[in-house]
Amino acid sequence: ERHNVVFLLILTINIMNNKNAIDMKTLKSILTGVDRVETSFRNPATEWLSDRSWTEVVHASSFGKLSGIKDDFVAYIGDWKSFFTSTCPEVEAFPGKWNSLTDIERMLVIKALRPDKMVDAVGEIIAKNLGRTFVNLPTLDLISSFNSGNCFSPFIFILSPGGNCMSSIMKLSRGHGLDDSRVKTVALGQGRGPIAQRLIDDGISNGDWVVLQYCHLAASWMPKLEKICRELPTNEGMNNNFRLWLTTYPTNKFPISILRNGIKMTKETNKGLRENLLNTYHTNDLVSNTLNFDGSNNPPGWPAYLFSICFFHAIVQERRRFGSLGWNIPYEFNDSDLHVSMRHLMMILKDIDGSPADALSYMIGECNYGGRVT
């Protein structure tokens, strides 16, 4: 995941190069940058444009169709300022006559004026050449993955930071008529192996679903789990309703044989506020069960407060791209924080008359999310 954008960019460049749709000299300038360029052209907008950016614009004027862009920049300084201050310059039209530029030439100009938007500009080039699905990952189709498995094949969730699959598993189990009590979960760790084995043995007999969370934390028990999974097809007492779910972060300690025989899925965190909100509204069972058309069973203000919490959660999720900036450490807020906050919201709106702002601020802001902050 960390190198996903770089890999897709290399793939896109190779495809464009095969189509003769890329100027390698321009690409090299984007990748290496301008070390130092002596210019006699004075910066025409020192109040908002840095000398470094102006040097990059002058340098860009030496490339093909970009010749003369520095003169046009001075002539249309107001239009270029609007482009410079845009929140999404990677999709904005260039001022004047510069909309016929190739994707790589556009990227060179964006790198000169708004280097902070280079990742987004790369995403636009990838989407244009490979398709939008390579930039915005589709929502996991858990039903399709479930239908391709059986009681002998474990379902393996490869987790990413901030991802949590328990709510999806619980929603799927209810759709198959299972009570929550028949979905047995255990978080693996030191001394938890025997508990997990007992749950698996009971599940094989009773047809329960067993979820072993965080397998990467029980590296010493993985050989035992490998033996259990290898013996599943030969178990004569197998109930066909039994399902084994495994969640793990990427680790070289996870048994290869389980990966080969299991149904592998990945729970990637959403990129961007829009994708995060859409995924929450489409996949969270508490949202889909309460946001009905008439809203007669919902407490007053539920849709508005619900959106506020989902929007807040999307913001703290997006902050991961900045690492520990603004925090003491990079905190891993996940879907469980959002889910418990939704339940607290429902309880508070039903039990409190008047404005619930103070109660919500304490329970959600200081306890659920703030409780992680040290």
Side-chain angles (χ1 to χ4, degrees):
E1 174 62 24
R2 182 174 57 183
H3 306 296
N4 188 43
V5 174
V6 176
F7 171 76
L8 291 174
L9 177 60
I10 294 173
L11 186 62
T12 301
I13 289 173
N14 286 331
I15 292 174
M16 295 173 68
N17 190 38
N18 289 334
K19 296 178 179 178
N20 294 320
I22 188 171
D23 178 50
M24 298 307 293
K25 183 181 177 182
T26 305
L27 177 63
K28 183 179 180 181
S29 179
I30 293 173
L31 297 178
T32 60
V34 180
D35 188 18
R36 184 176 181 182
V37 176
E38 297 293 341
T39 177
S40 59
F41 298 98
R42 185 177 60 86
N43 185 349
T46 55
E47 67 276 6
W48 55 270
L49 185 68
S50 68
D51 291 337
R52 173 72 182 184
S53 293
W54 174 243
T55 300
E56 295 262 10
V57 172
V58 174
H59 177 67
S61 295
S62 62
F63 292 94
K65 289 192 297 184
L66 287 170
S67 177
I69 192 173
K70 67 178 184 300
D71 300 321
D72 194 80
F73 191 92
V74 176
Y76 296 94
I77 192 71
D79 295 336
W80 281 107
K81 182 179 180 180
S82 299
F83 175 84
F84 179 84
T85 56
S86 171
T87 56
C88 299
E90 69 277 5
V91 296
E92 289 281 345
F94 280 5
K97 60 182 181 181
W98 302 102
N99 281 318
S100 61
L101 299 177
T102 65
D103 294 331
I104 296 298
E105 289 167 339
R106 277 185 59 91
M107 187 185 293
L108 183 61
V109 177
I110 292 174
K111 181 176 182 288
L113 297 176
R114 291 290 301 274
D116 59 304
K117 286 293 184 178
M118 276 298 290
V119 175
D120 296 318
V122 167
E124 288 300 314
I125 289 182
I126 293 171
K128 183 175 180 180
N129 289 274
L130 300 182
R132 183 64 61 178
T133 55
F134 283 86
V135 179
N136 301 326
L137 296 177
T139 302
L140 172 66
D141 187 358
L142 188 55
I143 296 178
S144 176
S145 299
F146 180 83
N147 292 336
S148 64
N150 53 47
C151 57
F152 304 118
S153 304
F155 297 89
I156 307 162
F157 266 105
I158 310 299
L159 301 175
S160 61
N164 190 305
C165 58
M166 274 310 301
S167 60
S168 300
I169 295 175
M170 296 303 296
K171 182 178 180 180
L172 182 66
S173 68
R174 296 180 189 118
H176 283 76
L178 269 69
D179 295 330
D180 290 354
S181 60
R182 294 192 59 192
V183 180
K184 313 294 185 181
T185 64
V186 59
L188 293 181
Q190 187 174 7
R192 307 288 286 180
I195 299 175
Q197 183 170 0
R198 185 171 65 251
L199 291 178
I200 293 174
D201 292 339
D202 293 342
I204 290 173
S205 301
N206 304 328
D208 296 336
W209 289 11
V210 178
V211 185
L212 306 186
Q213 296 181 285
Y214 312 122
C215 293
H216 61 285
L217 299 179
S220 61
W221 193 70
M222 288 299 98
K224 180 64 176 178
L225 177 62
E226 184 177 20
K227 181 175 182 294
I228 292 173
C229 292
R230 187 168 57 246
E231 294 175 350
L232 285 178
T234 60
N235 195 307
E236 296 180 355
M238 174 66 71
N239 188 309
N240 290 333
N241 293 323
F242 169 74
R243 294 294 184 273
L244 178 61
W245 301 81
L246 309 174
T247 74
T248 180
Y249 282 93
T251 174
N252 57 5
K253 303 296 184 182
F254 197 86
I256 298 297
S257 64
I258 299 180
L259 288 174
R260 287 174 178 168
N261 299 322
I263 307 298
K264 295 168 287 293
M265 297 160 282
T266 180
K267 181 69 172 179
E268 296 287 354
T269 51
N270 301 288
K271 293 181 175 62
L273 297 178
R274 179 178 179 273
E275 285 74 18
N276 204 305
L277 285 169
L278 286 174
N279 183 69
T280 299
Y281 273 71
H282 287 165
T283 63
N284 192 289
D285 56 337
L286 187 59
V287 175
S288 58
N289 291 340
T290 56
L291 286 182
N292 45 49
F293 288 104
D294 58 10
S296 58
N297 297 323
N298 299 334
W302 168 256
Y305 282 114
L306 178 64
F307 176 81
S308 299
I309 290 178
C310 294
F311 187 69
F312 170 75
H313 179 76
I315 289 175
V316 297
Q317 289 283 74
E318 276 298 289
R319 281 189 56 91
R320 281 198 310 273
R321 70 169 65 181
F322 303 109
S324 60
L325 185 65
W327 306 104
N328 295 328
I329 61 173
Y331 295 101
E332 294 299 340
F333 301 105
N334 54 46
D335 293 343
S336 61
D337 299 309
L338 175 63
H339 195 74
V340 72
S341 296
M342 288 180 179
R343 294 198 173 277
H344 284 157
L345 171 63
M346 180 68 78
M347 293 168 54
I348 290 172
L349 291 180
K350 287 182 177 180
D351 296 341
I352 294 181
D353 295 329
S355 174
D358 292 338
L360 291 174
S361 176
Y362 179 78
M363 287 298 298
I364 298 175
E366 298 190 30
C367 295
N368 297 345
Y369 287 88
R372 287 185 178 270
V373 179
T374 58

